[in-house]
Amino acid sequence: MQHRWVLRPVPSADSVQSIQQALNDLPAALARALVLRGIDSLDRAKAFFRPSLSSLHDPFLMADMEEASERIQRAVEAGHRIVVYGDYDVDGTTATALLVASLRELGGDVDFFVPDRYEHGYGLSAAGLDRAAELGADLVIAVDCGVTAVKEAAYARDLGMDLIVCDHHTTKRALPDAIAVLDPKRPDCSYPFKELCGCGVAFKLLQAVLARSGDAPDRAHAYLDLVALATAGDIVPVQGENRALLRFGLDRLQDDPRPGIRALASAADQDLSSCTARDIVFAIGPRINAAGRLSSAEKAVELLLAVDPQRAAELATELEALNRRRRDLDRETRDDAMTRAERQITARMRHAIVLHRDDWHLGVIGIVASRLVERFYRPTILLGTTNGVAKGSARSIAGINIYEALVKCEDLLLEYGGHDFAAGMSLEIKDVPAFQERFDAAVGEVVTPELLQPSIAVDARLDLGELDDRFWAVLKQFGPFGPSNGRPVFQSNRLELARRPRTVGRDDKHLKFTVRRNGSAPIDVIGFGLGDRLDVLETSWQKGSAIDVLHSIDENTWNGRTSLQLKARDVRASRAGND
C-alpha cells in the first residue's frame, strides 16, 4: 500500500531554533521532534527528559474522589464486603488486581468478579451484579467500565449495594446514579489530565484512599507495574501523567516484578530486565488478554495477585496455552474476514467495513478488525453472535472518530461504548443490515479521499552524518514510546545502497539492506513487512541511483554485538531536488 509522506508542521522555525540553543546546540532533527511534542522551552525539556512521580496531580482534583475515597475507607473500617467488578482486557484485569491487592493490604474484606464476554457481555450487567450480590457485596467498585451503565446502577441500588464507578471511557449525556463516578472525561471533572487508562484511574483512587487513611500516597507506587501494563496495553496517549506512570512502571517491571508477571514473562520467553512498552503491547498484554478472550479473565487476575511462585507458574502456563489457541483462531478468522471484506468492497466501494458471521469467536474479532484496518484502511466492525445477539468490535483510522459514528446509529444498538479509535457494541441480528448501511453513511459524512490514503507523519529530515553517540543518547531519552509520543520518524534522502538488498523472514515478508550517504559509514536497515518493496530497491541497486527512506532509529544486538539500526517505515526512489 502506497503511503503519503507528510512532514509534520511546527508552530514556527523560531521555536525549533530556541530549543536547539537552550539544549547546547542540539541537532536540528531532534529539536524539531521535541517541538512537535510540545517541548519548546528549557523547563518543559527538563520535565520531559526527567519525569518525576512528584509531578503527579492531586487525586482529589477528580470529580467525586472525596465521596469515593470516604466510602471505601468506611467500608474497610466497618468490614463491609467490597467486590471489585472488572473488565476482561489487560486494563480491566490490572485495575481489578490493583484494587483487590491494595485494599486487602489495608485490611479490607475484598473479592472480585470479572464478567464472561459470552455469559455477561461487556461492562456492568444485571447478571454480573447478581453475581456480586451472591458474593455478599455491600460496595461494588466497577473498574474500566460503568460510566454509561445508568440502568445497571439503578439495579445495583435495588439490590441494596452501593456503587463506585472508576472508568475512563467517553461519557453519555447522563451519568449513573452512584456513590461516585470517577472519570476524568466527565464534562464537569476538573482533573487536569484526561487520558488515564482505567487502571490509572484506579491508581488515583488508591492514592486518595491512602491519603484519607493517613498513609503515605507513595505506597501506591508498589502497583506501578500494573499501571504500566495497562497504560501500554490499552494504547492510551503516552504523554503527561501517563508518560511518568509508564516510565516508573517499566522500572518496576524491570527491577522488581511481582511473581505473576515474572512467571508470565518466563512462559513467553521475555526478558523483563529490558522490558519496553512494545514488549507489553506485543508479548505480555496479549497473554493477559487471552484469558478473557478464550476462557475466564479471572485467571489473569489470579495470576496478577499470585504470591506463590509455583501457583504463578501454573497460571502462566495456562495463559500461554490459551494464547497459542488464540493465535490459531485469529489466523482462521482473519483469512475468512479478509475474503468477505474483499467481496464487500468489490460489490460496493464502501467507506467502512461491517461484517457479521455467527460463529466468529468474540475473543478474537477485535484483533482481526485491526488486521483489516491495516489491509484495507477503512473503519472496520466485525460482529459475532452470542445468545441470539450480534456483538462486535470496531477499529478506526486516523481522522475518523468511530465512537461518534456509533452515536449516529444508537437507535439500532442495544449497547455501545469506547474511544475515538476502538469501540464495542451489540445489536439485534435482524438490525445488522440496517446498521451496515447506517454506519457506512455515518463514516461517509466525514471521510475524504485523503483520509482513506494512509500517511506516515515525519518528524524531521535527517542527514545520517548527524547520527552520532550524542544524538543516540538524547533520542533514547524520548522514551517510553507510545501513542502521542511515538518513536520519531526521520526522512533521510539520497541514500546509496551499500549492499544488494534482500528479503528475509517467512514468505520473504521483510526487507533488509544497508545504506550510506556521502561516504559515511554504512548502517543496516530492516523494513518489517516491506518485502513487497524489494523491486524499488533492486531498481536503484542496478541503476546505481539513490533512494529515500522513512525510518526510526533503534539498537540491534546480534552475536553479542550492539549497533544502531534504522527501522524503515517506507522506501522510494529519490526524487529530483531531494537533498
Side-chain angles (χ1 to χ4, degrees), residues 208-491:
V209 170
L210 290 169
R212 178 175 286 279
S213 303
D215 284 307
D218 290 358
R219 283 184 62 185
H221 296 174
Y223 299 94
L224 283 174
D225 53 348
L226 297 174
V227 181
L229 290 179
T231 299
D234 211 50
I235 321 296
V236 292
V238 181
Q239 59 187 13
E241 200 164 37
N242 279 343
R243 189 163 175 271
L245 293 170
L246 181 56
R247 165 74 70 85
F248 291 98
L250 286 171
D251 287 346
R252 185 165 286 274
L253 281 171
Q254 294 166 2
D255 299 335
D256 188 26
R258 62 193 63 239
I261 298 175
R262 185 184 297 113
L264 188 62
S266 177
D269 197 26
Q270 289 290 309
D271 180 8
L272 284 179
S273 66
S274 57
C275 182
T276 66
R278 180 180 174 83
D279 294 328
I280 293 173
V281 172
F282 292 102
I284 299 174
R287 287 164 169 81
I288 294 174
N289 283 335
R293 294 186 188 282
L294 300 185
S295 182
S296 169
E298 293 190 349
K299 293 177 181 176
V301 178
E302 289 175 17
L303 174 69
L304 296 171
L305 292 172
V307 294
D308 175 48
Q310 182 175 346
R311 178 56 178 158
E314 292 171 356
L315 289 165
T317 299
E318 191 170 349
L319 262 62
E320 181 66 21
L322 286 170
N323 191 54
R324 286 196 295 270
R325 183 176 160 223
R326 188 272 307 166
R327 285 199 300 258
D328 291 340
L329 278 172
D330 179 6
R331 184 168 52 253
E332 294 169 6
T333 307
R334 179 197 63 206
D335 292 346
D336 183 29
M338 289 284 186
T339 300
R340 291 169 179 264
E342 291 274 12
R343 287 203 298 263
Q344 188 178 88
I345 292 171
T346 301
R348 180 188 298 177
M349 286 300 295
R350 290 179 175 269
H351 307 296
I353 296 170
V354 182
L355 302 172
H356 173 236
R357 178 165 169 165
D358 285 336
D359 59 355
W360 277 343
H361 198 291
L362 299 186
V364 301
I365 55 176
I367 301 170
V368 175
S370 296
R371 302 284 188 272
L372 265 65
V373 169
E374 293 172 4
R375 170 66 179 82
F376 300 105
Y377 208 69
R378 284 171 166 77
T380 298
I381 295 176
L382 296 190
L383 298 155
T385 298
T386 181
N387 298 325
V389 173
K391 294 190 175 184
S393 291
R395 299 293 185 269
S396 195
I397 62 175
I400 298 180
N401 186 318
I402 207 160
Y403 181 84
E404 291 181 356
L406 290 175
V407 170
K408 296 179 180 179
C409 310
E410 64 181 349
D411 59 303
L412 295 172
L413 302 174
L414 299 174
E415 59 180 359
Y416 69 98
H419 309 285
D420 294 2
F421 288 97
M425 76 296 297
S426 66
L427 65 157
E428 298 288 351
I429 293 177
K430 65 179 178 60
D431 291 329
V432 169
F435 175 66
Q436 288 174 316
E437 297 297 326
R438 184 88 68 80
F439 181 77
D440 187 67
V443 173
E445 291 176 8
V446 296
V447 76
T448 64
E450 291 76 17
L451 286 177
L452 291 180
Q453 183 183 3
S455 62
I456 301 176
V458 182
D459 289 81
R461 293 188 174 93
L462 174 65
D463 184 332
L464 291 186
E466 293 184 77
L467 186 51
D468 56 14
D469 290 343
R470 185 194 178 209
F471 189 103
W472 174 239
V474 174
L475 182 57
K476 281 196 295 186
Q477 295 179 66
F478 275 56
F481 299 110
S484 300
N485 186 41
R487 288 185 180 275
V489 175
F490 301 106
Q491 179 176 337

Side-chain angles (χ1 to χ4, degrees), residues 100-244:
V100 170
S102 61
L103 296 181
R104 283 177 178 171
E105 185 180 349
L106 291 174
D109 178 12
V110 188
D111 208 335
F112 68 91
F113 168 75
V114 182
D116 178 277
R117 68 175 68 230
Y118 281 97
E119 182 179 353
H120 307 103
Y122 167 78
L124 280 175
S125 67
L129 288 168
D130 286 340
R131 178 59 183 149
E134 291 172 7
L135 293 171
D138 297 298
L139 170 63
V140 174
I141 307 175
V143 292
D144 194 33
C145 64
V147 77
T148 61
V150 174
K151 292 180 181 178
E152 290 77 11
Y155 184 66
R157 189 171 57 253
D158 291 342
L159 293 175
M161 300 183 296
D162 286 343
L163 174 66
I164 294 172
V165 172
C166 186
D167 203 353
H168 72 121
H169 293 98
T170 304
T171 65
K172 291 185 179 178
R173 298 179 187 88
L175 293 175
D177 183 8
I179 294 293
V181 178
L182 306 177
D183 188 332
K185 291 190 175 73
R186 280 179 56 168
D188 61 339
C189 182
S190 60
Y191 193 75
F193 186 70
K194 303 297 184 182
E195 300 300 334
L196 291 169
C197 63
C199 190
V201 178
F203 175 81
K204 304 306 295 188
L205 174 58
L206 174 57
Q207 284 188 311
V209 170
L210 290 169
R212 178 175 286 279
S213 303
D215 284 307
D218 290 358
R219 283 184 62 185
H221 296 174
Y223 299 94
L224 283 174
D225 53 348
L226 297 174
V227 181
L229 290 179
T231 299
D234 211 50
I235 321 296
V236 292
V238 181
Q239 59 187 13
E241 200 164 37
N242 279 343
R243 189 163 175 271

